[in-house]
Tab-separated table of all heavy atoms in Angstrom:
chain	number	residue	atom	x	y	z
X	8	ASP	N	107.627	-123.132	-39.438
X	8	ASP	CA	107.337	-123.263	-38.026
X	8	ASP	C	108.604	-123.023	-37.217
X	8	ASP	O	109.706	-123.103	-37.722
X	8	ASP	CB	106.769	-124.649	-37.743
X	8	ASP	CG	105.380	-124.820	-38.341
X	8	ASP	OD1	104.562	-123.894	-38.200
X	8	ASP	OD2	105.130	-125.860	-38.948
X	9	GLU	N	108.418	-122.771	-35.960
X	9	GLU	CA	109.553	-122.488	-35.091
X	9	GLU	C	110.151	-123.741	-34.479
X	9	GLU	O	111.257	-123.702	-33.959
X	9	GLU	CB	109.139	-121.507	-34.004
X	9	GLU	CG	108.769	-120.146	-34.564
X	9	GLU	CD	108.314	-119.177	-33.494
X	9	GLU	OE1	108.284	-119.552	-32.318
X	9	GLU	OE2	107.980	-118.049	-33.853
X	10	SER	N	109.428	-124.844	-34.518
X	10	SER	CA	109.958	-126.075	-33.935
X	10	SER	C	109.430	-127.286	-34.684
X	10	SER	O	108.377	-127.230	-35.314
X	10	SER	CB	109.574	-126.179	-32.457
X	10	SER	OG	108.203	-126.475	-32.334
X	11	TRP	N	110.178	-128.387	-34.609
X	11	TRP	CA	109.742	-129.613	-35.262
X	11	TRP	C	108.492	-130.175	-34.609
X	11	TRP	O	107.693	-130.829	-35.268
X	11	TRP	CB	110.859	-130.651	-35.265
X	11	TRP	CG	111.867	-130.391	-36.338
X	11	TRP	CD1	113.161	-130.023	-36.161
X	11	TRP	CD2	111.657	-130.450	-37.745
X	11	TRP	NE1	113.768	-129.847	-37.390
X	11	TRP	CE2	112.865	-130.115	-38.373
X	11	TRP	CE3	110.558	-130.758	-38.546
X	11	TRP	CZ2	113.013	-130.079	-39.752
X	11	TRP	CZ3	110.710	-130.722	-39.926
X	11	TRP	CH2	111.926	-130.385	-40.510
X	12	SER	N	108.293	-129.924	-33.310
X	12	SER	CA	107.100	-130.473	-32.657
X	12	SER	C	105.828	-129.947	-33.307
X	12	SER	O	104.850	-130.673	-33.458
X	12	SER	CB	107.115	-130.176	-31.158
X	12	SER	OG	107.075	-128.781	-30.926
X	13	ILE	N	105.837	-128.717	-33.753
X	13	ILE	CA	104.676	-128.144	-34.441
X	13	ILE	C	104.575	-128.726	-35.854
X	13	ILE	O	103.511	-129.151	-36.292
X	13	ILE	CB	104.780	-126.607	-34.495
X	13	ILE	CG1	104.735	-126.018	-33.078
X	13	ILE	CG2	103.674	-126.019	-35.348
X	13	ILE	CD1	105.087	-124.554	-33.006
X	14	ALA	N	105.701	-128.757	-36.566
X	14	ALA	CA	105.704	-129.262	-37.941
X	14	ALA	C	105.281	-130.727	-38.001
X	14	ALA	O	104.559	-131.131	-38.909
X	14	ALA	CB	107.084	-129.078	-38.553
X	15	HIS	N	105.717	-131.526	-37.050
X	15	HIS	CA	105.385	-132.955	-37.064
X	15	HIS	C	103.889	-133.219	-36.881
X	15	HIS	O	103.413	-134.296	-37.219
X	15	HIS	CB	106.187	-133.701	-36.007
X	15	HIS	CG	107.601	-133.921	-36.431
X	15	HIS	ND1	108.613	-134.090	-35.527
X	15	HIS	CD2	108.188	-133.987	-37.655
X	15	HIS	CE1	109.751	-134.267	-36.168
X	15	HIS	NE2	109.516	-134.190	-37.457
X	16	LYS	N	103.164	-132.251	-36.385
X	16	LYS	CA	101.709	-132.432	-36.237
X	16	LYS	C	101.006	-132.504	-37.589
X	16	LYS	O	99.937	-133.087	-37.702
X	16	LYS	CB	101.119	-131.296	-35.405
X	16	LYS	CG	101.514	-131.366	-33.949
X	16	LYS	CD	100.917	-130.221	-33.161
X	16	LYS	CE	101.372	-130.294	-31.716
X	16	LYS	NZ	100.841	-129.186	-30.917
X	17	ILE	N	101.598	-131.902	-38.624
X	17	ILE	CA	100.953	-131.914	-39.941
X	17	ILE	C	101.697	-132.749	-40.974
X	17	ILE	O	101.126	-133.116	-41.980
X	17	ILE	CB	100.760	-130.481	-40.490
X	17	ILE	CG1	102.100	-129.782	-40.689
X	17	ILE	CG2	99.840	-129.670	-39.598
X	17	ILE	CD1	102.023	-128.532	-41.517
X	18	LEU	N	102.979	-133.040	-40.726
X	18	LEU	CA	103.743	-133.838	-41.680
X	18	LEU	C	103.430	-135.315	-41.504
X	18	LEU	O	103.177	-135.773	-40.389
X	18	LEU	CB	105.246	-133.627	-41.469
X	18	LEU	CG	105.792	-132.264	-41.861
X	18	LEU	CD1	107.241	-132.136	-41.412
X	18	LEU	CD2	105.671	-132.037	-43.350
X	19	PRO	N	103.490	-136.079	-42.586
X	19	PRO	CA	103.341	-137.526	-42.443
X	19	PRO	C	104.469	-138.082	-41.581
X	19	PRO	O	105.534	-137.472	-41.484
X	19	PRO	CB	103.456	-138.051	-43.877
X	19	PRO	CG	103.449	-136.884	-44.765
X	19	PRO	CD	103.697	-135.661	-43.947
X	20	LYS	N	104.237	-139.236	-40.982
X	20	LYS	CA	105.257	-139.829	-40.115
X	20	LYS	C	106.534	-140.137	-40.884
X	20	LYS	O	107.620	-140.070	-40.339
X	20	LYS	CB	104.721	-141.078	-39.438
X	20	LYS	CG	103.634	-140.763	-38.429
X	20	LYS	CD	103.304	-141.973	-37.599
X	20	LYS	CE	102.118	-141.724	-36.706
X	20	LYS	NZ	102.330	-140.890	-35.604
X	21	SER	N	106.427	-140.489	-42.139
X	21	SER	CA	107.623	-140.702	-42.954
X	21	SER	C	107.376	-140.108	-44.338
X	21	SER	O	106.281	-140.185	-44.874
X	21	SER	CB	107.953	-142.184	-43.054
X	21	SER	OG	106.924	-142.871	-43.725
X	22	LEU	N	108.396	-139.498	-44.871
X	22	LEU	CA	108.332	-138.901	-46.206
X	22	LEU	C	109.153	-139.760	-47.156
X	22	LEU	O	110.141	-140.377	-46.758
X	22	LEU	CB	108.909	-137.482	-46.187
X	22	LEU	CG	108.157	-136.447	-45.357
X	22	LEU	CD1	108.974	-135.165	-45.257
X	22	LEU	CD2	106.802	-136.163	-45.963
X	23	PRO	N	108.783	-139.794	-48.421
X	23	PRO	CA	109.616	-140.509	-49.392
X	23	PRO	C	111.028	-139.926	-49.387
X	23	PRO	O	111.227	-138.743	-49.082
X	23	PRO	CB	108.925	-140.243	-50.731
X	23	PRO	CG	107.522	-139.900	-50.368
X	23	PRO	CD	107.598	-139.216	-49.032
X	24	ALA	N	112.005	-140.736	-49.749
X	24	ALA	CA	113.407	-140.311	-49.710
X	24	ALA	C	113.652	-139.042	-50.509
X	24	ALA	O	114.511	-138.233	-50.163
X	24	ALA	CB	114.299	-141.436	-50.208
X	25	GLN	N	112.906	-138.831	-51.575
X	25	GLN	CA	113.122	-137.659	-52.427
X	25	GLN	C	112.404	-136.402	-51.921
X	25	GLN	O	112.500	-135.356	-52.543
X	25	GLN	CB	112.716	-137.960	-53.876
X	25	GLN	CG	111.236	-138.130	-54.090
X	25	GLN	CD	110.716	-139.550	-53.860
X	25	GLN	OE1	111.336	-140.356	-53.183
X	25	GLN	NE2	109.561	-139.850	-54.401
X	26	VAL	N	111.698	-136.488	-50.807
X	26	VAL	CA	110.971	-135.341	-50.250
X	26	VAL	C	111.638	-134.917	-48.946
X	26	VAL	O	111.825	-135.717	-48.050
X	26	VAL	CB	109.488	-135.701	-49.994
X	26	VAL	CG1	108.773	-134.539	-49.320
X	26	VAL	CG2	108.799	-136.085	-51.285
X	27	TRP	N	112.009	-133.655	-48.875
X	27	TRP	CA	112.627	-133.112	-47.670
X	27	TRP	C	111.734	-132.051	-47.070
X	27	TRP	O	111.058	-131.309	-47.767
X	27	TRP	CB	113.952	-132.449	-47.981
X	27	TRP	CG	115.020	-133.325	-48.518
X	27	TRP	CD1	114.983	-134.685	-48.686
X	27	TRP	CD2	116.287	-132.907	-48.977
X	27	TRP	NE1	116.147	-135.124	-49.208
X	27	TRP	CE2	116.985	-134.046	-49.401
X	27	TRP	CE3	116.910	-131.685	-49.073
X	27	TRP	CZ2	118.267	-133.992	-49.899
X	27	TRP	CZ3	118.183	-131.634	-49.578
X	27	TRP	CH2	118.858	-132.779	-49.986
X	28	SER	N	111.779	-131.943	-45.779
X	28	SER	CA	111.126	-130.853	-45.070
X	28	SER	C	112.199	-130.173	-44.232
X	28	SER	O	112.902	-130.834	-43.465
X	28	SER	CB	109.999	-131.378	-44.177
X	28	SER	OG	109.380	-130.319	-43.513
X	29	LEU	N	112.357	-128.863	-44.400
X	29	LEU	CA	113.399	-128.121	-43.700
X	29	LEU	C	112.775	-127.115	-42.750
X	29	LEU	O	111.733	-126.546	-43.038
X	29	LEU	CB	114.293	-127.401	-44.704
X	29	LEU	CG	114.904	-128.285	-45.793
X	29	LEU	CD1	115.642	-127.426	-46.813
X	29	LEU	CD2	115.827	-129.314	-45.196
X	30	LEU	N	113.440	-126.895	-41.632
X	30	LEU	CA	112.961	-125.962	-40.625
X	30	LEU	C	113.849	-124.719	-40.641
X	30	LEU	O	115.071	-124.826	-40.690
X	30	LEU	CB	113.009	-126.639	-39.251
X	30	LEU	CG	112.350	-125.914	-38.097
X	30	LEU	CD1	110.851	-125.802	-38.309
X	30	LEU	CD2	112.631	-126.644	-36.803
X	31	ASP	N	113.240	-123.547	-40.610
X	31	ASP	CA	113.963	-122.270	-40.634
X	31	ASP	C	113.458	-121.396	-39.487
X	31	ASP	O	112.778	-120.395	-39.700
X	31	ASP	CB	113.736	-121.593	-41.992
X	31	ASP	CG	114.472	-120.280	-42.136
X	31	ASP	OD1	115.493	-120.076	-41.450
X	31	ASP	OD2	114.027	-119.448	-42.939
X	32	PRO	N	113.787	-121.774	-38.236
X	32	PRO	CA	113.217	-121.051	-37.093
X	32	PRO	C	113.632	-119.587	-36.995
X	32	PRO	O	112.942	-118.788	-36.378
X	32	PRO	CB	113.718	-121.846	-35.886
X	32	PRO	CG	114.932	-122.561	-36.359
X	32	PRO	CD	114.705	-122.829	-37.819
X	33	GLU	N	114.741	-119.218	-37.615
X	33	GLU	CA	115.186	-117.820	-37.574
X	33	GLU	C	114.709	-117.025	-38.783
X	33	GLU	O	115.041	-115.856	-38.932
X	33	GLU	CB	116.708	-117.768	-37.453
X	33	GLU	CG	117.198	-118.385	-36.150
X	33	GLU	CD	118.713	-118.447	-36.073
X	33	GLU	OE1	119.394	-117.862	-36.949
X	33	GLU	OE2	119.217	-119.083	-35.144
X	34	ALA	N	113.940	-117.660	-39.661
X	34	ALA	CA	113.348	-117.021	-40.850
X	34	ALA	C	114.388	-116.417	-41.793
X	34	ALA	O	114.110	-115.465	-42.510
X	34	ALA	CB	112.318	-115.983	-40.440
X	35	LYS	N	115.580	-116.996	-41.837
X	35	LYS	CA	116.619	-116.485	-42.737
X	35	LYS	C	116.249	-116.702	-44.202
X	35	LYS	O	116.491	-115.836	-45.041
X	35	LYS	CB	117.956	-117.137	-42.417
X	35	LYS	CG	118.528	-116.678	-41.092
X	35	LYS	CD	119.871	-117.316	-40.822
X	35	LYS	CE	120.420	-116.825	-39.493
X	35	LYS	NZ	121.730	-117.415	-39.194
X	36	VAL	N	115.675	-117.839	-44.514
X	36	VAL	CA	115.269	-118.108	-45.891
X	36	VAL	C	114.124	-117.180	-46.289
X	36	VAL	O	114.108	-116.617	-47.373
X	36	VAL	CB	114.876	-119.585	-46.082
X	36	VAL	CG1	114.294	-119.828	-47.462
X	36	VAL	CG2	116.081	-120.485	-45.838
X	37	ALA	N	113.181	-117.004	-45.392
X	37	ALA	CA	112.056	-116.110	-45.672
X	37	ALA	C	112.541	-114.697	-45.977
X	37	ALA	O	112.068	-114.051	-46.919
X	37	ALA	CB	111.095	-116.097	-44.488
X	38	GLN	N	113.480	-114.216	-45.211
X	38	GLN	CA	114.024	-112.875	-45.450
X	38	GLN	C	114.768	-112.817	-46.778
X	38	GLN	O	114.611	-111.877	-47.549
X	38	GLN	CB	114.946	-112.472	-44.303
X	38	GLN	CG	114.218	-112.246	-43.004
X	38	GLN	CD	115.176	-112.073	-41.830
X	38	GLN	OE1	116.380	-112.140	-41.974
X	38	GLN	NE2	114.608	-111.851	-40.652
X	39	ALA	N	115.577	-113.829	-47.057
X	39	ALA	CA	116.381	-113.830	-48.281
X	39	ALA	C	115.508	-113.905	-49.533
X	39	ALA	O	115.856	-113.333	-50.567
X	39	ALA	CB	117.366	-114.996	-48.256
X	40	TRP	N	114.375	-114.602	-49.438
X	40	TRP	CA	113.527	-114.802	-50.613
X	40	TRP	C	112.335	-113.849	-50.663
X	40	TRP	O	111.520	-113.935	-51.561
X	40	TRP	CB	113.035	-116.236	-50.665
X	40	TRP	CG	114.145	-117.191	-50.982
X	40	TRP	CD1	115.491	-116.931	-51.017
X	40	TRP	CD2	114.004	-118.549	-51.301
X	40	TRP	NE1	116.183	-118.042	-51.331
X	40	TRP	CE2	115.289	-119.065	-51.519
X	40	TRP	CE3	112.915	-119.393	-51.421
X	40	TRP	CZ2	115.514	-120.377	-51.844
X	40	TRP	CZ3	113.155	-120.711	-51.750
X	40	TRP	CH2	114.439	-121.190	-51.958
X	41	GLY	N	112.234	-112.978	-49.685
X	41	GLY	CA	111.151	-112.003	-49.709
X	41	GLY	C	109.790	-112.568	-49.353
X	41	GLY	O	108.768	-112.036	-49.790
X	42	SER	N	109.779	-113.617	-48.563
X	42	SER	CA	108.489	-114.164	-48.126
X	42	SER	C	107.797	-113.155	-47.221
X	42	SER	O	108.422	-112.525	-46.375
X	42	SER	CB	108.697	-115.480	-47.369
X	42	SER	OG	109.211	-116.453	-48.241
X	43	HIS	N	106.513	-113.015	-47.419
X	43	HIS	CA	105.789	-112.013	-46.643
X	43	HIS	C	104.502	-112.548	-46.035
X	43	HIS	O	103.873	-111.867	-45.247
X	43	HIS	CB	105.479	-110.799	-47.524
X	43	HIS	CG	104.622	-111.141	-48.698
X	43	HIS	ND1	105.150	-111.637	-49.867
X	43	HIS	CD2	103.289	-111.093	-48.874
X	43	HIS	CE1	104.156	-111.866	-50.712
X	43	HIS	NE2	103.030	-111.546	-50.141
X	44	GLN	N	104.103	-113.713	-46.422
X	44	GLN	CA	102.872	-114.283	-45.880
X	44	GLN	C	103.153	-115.725	-45.488
X	44	GLN	O	103.805	-116.455	-46.216
X	44	GLN	CB	101.754	-114.263	-46.923
X	44	GLN	CG	100.456	-114.834	-46.404
X	44	GLN	CD	99.351	-114.736	-47.441
X	44	GLN	OE1	99.437	-113.971	-48.383
X	44	GLN	NE2	98.318	-115.514	-47.264
X	45	TYR	N	102.683	-116.107	-44.325
X	45	TYR	CA	102.919	-117.480	-43.866
X	45	TYR	C	101.609	-118.235	-43.843
X	45	TYR	O	100.586	-117.661	-43.526
X	45	TYR	CB	103.548	-117.469	-42.468
X	45	TYR	CG	104.908	-116.818	-42.460
X	45	TYR	CD1	105.078	-115.502	-42.067
X	45	TYR	CD2	106.012	-117.535	-42.879
X	45	TYR	CE1	106.336	-114.914	-42.071
X	45	TYR	CE2	107.274	-116.956	-42.890
X	45	TYR	CZ	107.424	-115.653	-42.484
X	45	TYR	OH	108.657	-115.075	-42.501
X	46	PRO	N	101.615	-119.479	-44.139
X	46	PRO	CA	102.775	-120.240	-44.580
X	46	PRO	C	103.029	-120.054	-46.076
X	46	PRO	O	102.117	-119.764	-46.837
X	46	PRO	CB	102.377	-121.689	-44.294
X	46	PRO	CG	100.888	-121.694	-44.451
X	46	PRO	CD	100.428	-120.340	-43.962
X	47	GLU	N	104.264	-120.200	-46.464
X	47	GLU	CA	104.662	-120.253	-47.869
X	47	GLU	C	105.450	-121.534	-48.070
X	47	GLU	O	106.256	-121.909	-47.230
X	47	GLU	CB	105.515	-119.055	-48.263
X	47	GLU	CG	104.718	-117.781	-48.343
X	47	GLU	CD	105.527	-116.611	-48.860
X	47	GLU	OE1	106.764	-116.691	-48.952
X	47	GLU	OE2	104.910	-115.594	-49.174
X	48	THR	N	105.208	-122.190	-49.177
X	48	THR	CA	105.858	-123.457	-49.482
X	48	THR	C	106.541	-123.341	-50.828
X	48	THR	O	105.945	-122.839	-51.786
X	48	THR	CB	104.818	-124.599	-49.530
X	48	THR	OG1	104.147	-124.658	-48.275
X	48	THR	CG2	105.475	-125.927	-49.828
X	49	TYR	N	107.773	-123.781	-50.893
X	49	TYR	CA	108.530	-123.794	-52.140
X	49	TYR	C	108.769	-125.245	-52.528
X	49	TYR	O	109.245	-126.035	-51.723
X	49	TYR	CB	109.875	-123.096	-51.966
X	49	TYR	CG	109.737	-121.623	-51.661
X	49	TYR	CD1	109.572	-121.180	-50.354
X	49	TYR	CD2	109.766	-120.684	-52.674
X	49	TYR	CE1	109.441	-119.832	-50.075
X	49	TYR	CE2	109.644	-119.323	-52.405
X	49	TYR	CZ	109.485	-118.914	-51.096
X	49	TYR	OH	109.356	-117.579	-50.816
X	50	LEU	N	108.463	-125.594	-53.757
X	50	LEU	CA	108.718	-126.927	-54.265
X	50	LEU	C	109.893	-126.856	-55.236
X	50	LEU	O	109.878	-126.058	-56.168
X	50	LEU	CB	107.486	-127.488	-54.976
X	50	LEU	CG	106.227	-127.587	-54.114
X	50	LEU	CD1	105.062	-128.076	-54.939
X	50	LEU	CD2	106.466	-128.496	-52.922
X	51	PHE	N	110.904	-127.676	-54.990
X	51	PHE	CA	112.127	-127.695	-55.782
X	51	PHE	C	112.239	-128.995	-56.558
X	51	PHE	O	111.862	-130.051	-56.060
X	51	PHE	CB	113.363	-127.644	-54.871
X	51	PHE	CG	113.529	-126.379	-54.122
X	51	PHE	CD1	112.871	-126.168	-52.921
X	51	PHE	CD2	114.376	-125.391	-54.594
X	51	PHE	CE1	113.042	-124.999	-52.205
X	51	PHE	CE2	114.554	-124.220	-53.886
X	51	PHE	CZ	113.889	-124.030	-52.694
X	52	THR	N	112.794	-128.927	-57.736
X	52	THR	CA	113.267	-130.101	-58.451
X	52	THR	C	114.556	-129.716	-59.146
X	52	THR	O	114.676	-128.608	-59.679
X	52	THR	CB	112.262	-130.635	-59.496
X	52	THR	OG1	111.962	-129.610	-60.426
X	52	THR	CG2	110.993	-131.125	-58.841
X	53	ARG	N	115.512	-130.602	-59.073
X	53	ARG	CA	116.814	-130.390	-59.711
X	53	ARG	C	117.425	-129.030	-59.348
X	53	ARG	O	117.984	-128.335	-60.194
X	53	ARG	CB	116.704	-130.558	-61.214
X	53	ARG	CG	116.323	-131.965	-61.615
X	53	ARG	CD	116.231	-132.118	-63.115
X	53	ARG	NE	115.859	-133.469	-63.461
X	53	ARG	CZ	114.595	-133.902	-63.544
X	53	ARG	NH1	113.599	-133.091	-63.290
X	53	ARG	NH2	114.348	-135.156	-63.863
X	54	GLY	N	117.277	-128.633	-58.094
X	54	GLY	CA	117.910	-127.421	-57.600
X	54	GLY	C	117.230	-126.117	-57.954
X	54	GLY	O	117.750	-125.051	-57.652
X	55	ALA	N	116.073	-126.160	-58.575
X	55	ALA	CA	115.369	-124.930	-58.945
X	55	ALA	C	113.980	-124.904	-58.335
X	55	ALA	O	113.344	-125.943	-58.163
X	55	ALA	CB	115.255	-124.831	-60.463
X	56	VAL	N	113.513	-123.712	-58.003
X	56	VAL	CA	112.147	-123.574	-57.497
X	56	VAL	C	111.189	-123.815	-58.652
X	56	VAL	O	111.261	-123.141	-59.682
X	56	VAL	CB	111.909	-122.172	-56.896
X	56	VAL	CG1	110.456	-122.018	-56.473
X	56	VAL	CG2	112.833	-121.928	-55.721
X	57	ARG	N	110.304	-124.770	-58.508
X	57	ARG	CA	109.333	-125.084	-59.553
X	57	ARG	C	107.954	-124.521	-59.237
X	57	ARG	O	107.165	-124.285	-60.129
X	57	ARG	CB	109.219	-126.601	-59.745
X	57	ARG	CG	110.488	-127.254	-60.150
X	57	ARG	CD	110.915	-126.750	-61.506
X	57	ARG	NE	112.180	-127.388	-61.860
X	57	ARG	CZ	112.986	-126.953	-62.790
X	57	ARG	NH1	112.682	-125.879	-63.473
X	57	ARG	NH2	114.102	-127.562	-63.040
X	58	MET	N	107.697	-124.308	-57.946
X	58	MET	CA	106.379	-123.806	-57.568
X	58	MET	C	106.486	-123.143	-56.198
X	58	MET	O	107.217	-123.596	-55.336
X	58	MET	CB	105.387	-124.971	-57.497
X	58	MET	CG	103.960	-124.549	-57.230
X	58	MET	SD	102.827	-125.981	-57.100
X	58	MET	CE	102.987	-126.715	-58.704
X	59	LYS	N	105.758	-122.050	-56.038
X	59	LYS	CA	105.638	-121.384	-54.746
X	59	LYS	C	104.157	-121.349	-54.401
X	59	LYS	O	103.341	-120.881	-55.195
X	59	LYS	CB	106.198	-119.968	-54.804
X	59	LYS	CG	106.041	-119.211	-53.502
X	59	LYS	CD	106.591	-117.798	-53.619
X	59	LYS	CE	106.346	-117.008	-52.359
X	59	LYS	NZ	106.851	-115.645	-52.462
X	60	LEU	N	103.832	-121.852	-53.229
X	60	LEU	CA	102.445	-121.869	-52.764
X	60	LEU	C	102.329	-120.926	-51.576
X	60	LEU	O	103.103	-121.025	-50.627
X	60	LEU	CB	102.038	-123.286	-52.353
X	60	LEU	CG	102.206	-124.351	-53.435
X	60	LEU	CD1	102.066	-125.736	-52.839
X	60	LEU	CD2	101.205	-124.132	-54.539
X	61	VAL	N	101.388	-120.014	-51.643
X	61	VAL	CA	101.192	-119.043	-50.565
X	61	VAL	C	99.906	-119.370	-49.828
X	61	VAL	O	98.862	-119.590	-50.444
X	61	VAL	CB	101.133	-117.603	-51.131
X	61	VAL	CG1	100.888	-116.596	-50.018
X	61	VAL	CG2	102.412	-117.270	-51.887
X	62	GLY	N	99.997	-119.392	-48.518
X	62	GLY	CA	98.834	-119.672	-47.694
X	62	GLY	C	98.711	-121.144	-47.359
X	62	GLY	O	99.483	-121.972	-47.825
X	63	PRO	N	97.743	-121.482	-46.533
X	63	PRO	CA	97.565	-122.874	-46.127
X	63	PRO	C	97.187	-123.748	-47.319
X	63	PRO	O	96.506	-123.293	-48.235
X	63	PRO	CB	96.440	-122.829	-45.099
X	63	PRO	CG	95.927	-121.452	-45.077
X	63	PRO	CD	96.777	-120.591	-45.938
X	64	GLN	N	97.647	-124.973	-47.306
X	64	GLN	CA	97.374	-125.922	-48.376
X	64	GLN	C	96.735	-127.178	-47.792
X	64	GLN	O	96.971	-127.514	-46.645
X	64	GLN	CB	98.674	-126.320	-49.087
X	64	GLN	CG	99.466	-125.162	-49.628
X	64	GLN	CD	98.737	-124.392	-50.699
X	64	GLN	OE1	98.159	-124.976	-51.600
X	64	GLN	NE2	98.764	-123.073	-50.606
X	65	ASP	N	95.975	-127.868	-48.595
X	65	ASP	CA	95.438	-129.167	-48.203
X	65	ASP	C	96.472	-130.214	-48.609
X	65	ASP	O	96.602	-130.533	-49.785
X	65	ASP	CB	94.104	-129.431	-48.890
X	65	ASP	CG	93.503	-130.770	-48.509
X	65	ASP	OD1	94.096	-131.492	-47.667
X	65	ASP	OD2	92.436	-131.102	-49.038
X	66	TRP	N	97.217	-130.719	-47.648
X	66	TRP	CA	98.318	-131.626	-47.932
X	66	TRP	C	97.920	-133.091	-47.876
X	66	TRP	O	98.768	-133.960	-48.033
X	66	TRP	CB	99.481	-131.361	-46.983
X	66	TRP	CG	100.108	-130.031	-47.258
X	66	TRP	CD1	100.026	-128.917	-46.477
X	66	TRP	CD2	100.881	-129.652	-48.390
X	66	TRP	NE1	100.707	-127.875	-47.062
X	66	TRP	CE2	101.246	-128.301	-48.235
X	66	TRP	CE3	101.307	-130.324	-49.532
X	66	TRP	CZ2	102.010	-127.620	-49.182
X	66	TRP	CZ3	102.075	-129.638	-50.463
X	66	TRP	CH2	102.416	-128.301	-50.272
X	67	HIS	N	96.673	-133.410	-47.684
X	67	HIS	CA	96.258	-134.811	-47.685
X	67	HIS	C	96.519	-135.391	-49.068
X	67	HIS	O	96.062	-134.847	-50.083
X	67	HIS	CB	94.786	-134.945	-47.308
X	67	HIS	CG	94.515	-134.586	-45.892
X	67	HIS	ND1	94.235	-133.294	-45.507
X	67	HIS	CD2	94.567	-135.329	-44.765
X	67	HIS	CE1	94.079	-133.256	-44.210
X	67	HIS	NE2	94.279	-134.471	-43.725
X	68	ASN	N	97.273	-136.443	-49.121
X	68	ASN	CA	97.642	-137.115	-50.365
X	68	ASN	C	98.428	-136.213	-51.321
X	68	ASN	O	98.439	-136.444	-52.525
X	68	ASN	CB	96.398	-137.669	-51.079
X	68	ASN	CG	95.659	-138.650	-50.208
X	68	ASN	OD1	96.287	-139.528	-49.600
X	68	ASN	ND2	94.355	-138.524	-50.125
X	69	ALA	N	99.083	-135.193	-50.806
X	69	ALA	CA	99.807	-134.248	-51.653
X	69	ALA	C	100.942	-134.916	-52.411
X	69	ALA	O	101.212	-134.575	-53.555
X	69	ALA	CB	100.343	-133.104	-50.816
X	70	ILE	N	101.623	-135.852	-51.796
X	70	ILE	CA	102.756	-136.485	-52.462
X	70	ILE	C	102.271	-137.220	-53.712
X	70	ILE	O	102.885	-137.134	-54.762
X	70	ILE	CB	103.501	-137.416	-51.490
X	70	ILE	CG1	104.161	-136.552	-50.407
X	70	ILE	CG2	104.530	-138.268	-52.217
X	70	ILE	CD1	104.717	-137.313	-49.248
X	71	GLU	N	101.162	-137.893	-53.622
X	71	GLU	CA	100.606	-138.586	-54.797
X	71	GLU	C	100.170	-137.564	-55.850
X	71	GLU	O	100.378	-137.764	-57.037
X	71	GLU	CB	99.418	-139.471	-54.404
X	71	GLU	CG	99.821	-140.699	-53.618
X	71	GLU	CD	100.771	-141.614	-54.400
X	71	GLU	OE1	100.532	-141.843	-55.602
X	71	GLU	OE2	101.755	-142.069	-53.806
X	72	THR	N	99.597	-136.467	-55.429
X	72	THR	CA	99.125	-135.444	-56.353
X	72	THR	C	100.276	-134.802	-57.115
X	72	THR	O	100.149	-134.492	-58.294
X	72	THR	CB	98.348	-134.355	-55.579
X	72	THR	OG1	97.275	-134.969	-54.881
X	72	THR	CG2	97.815	-133.275	-56.501
X	73	LEU	N	101.414	-134.615	-56.458
X	73	LEU	CA	102.547	-133.921	-57.058
X	73	LEU	C	103.404	-134.808	-57.942
X	73	LEU	O	104.285	-134.315	-58.632
X	73	LEU	CB	103.409	-133.301	-55.972
X	73	LEU	CG	102.731	-132.190	-55.178
X	73	LEU	CD1	103.581	-131.783	-53.993
X	73	LEU	CD2	102.443	-131.000	-56.065
X	74	LYS	N	103.150	-136.102	-57.967
X	74	LYS	CA	103.965	-137.012	-58.798
X	74	LYS	C	103.732	-136.745	-60.266
X	74	LYS	O	102.726	-136.360	-60.714
X	74	LYS	CB	103.639	-138.463	-58.470
X	74	LYS	CG	104.261	-138.896	-57.170
X	74	LYS	CD	104.022	-140.368	-56.944
X	74	LYS	CE	104.688	-140.797	-55.660
X	74	LYS	NZ	104.470	-142.200	-55.380
């Protein structure tokens, strides 16, 4: 998203300490990684990409699902 006001509409009010959400309004990461369809989500663990999700996702209870 281009602003946190948009992102906050779908993000939970608080995320667990181990979950980060980053904003890339200039799309530098998208360009560097070859993203071509929005939204795209990258899940990292221990500094490596573990999963790439393309397109809209159902994030209700996602944190519990990903544990």
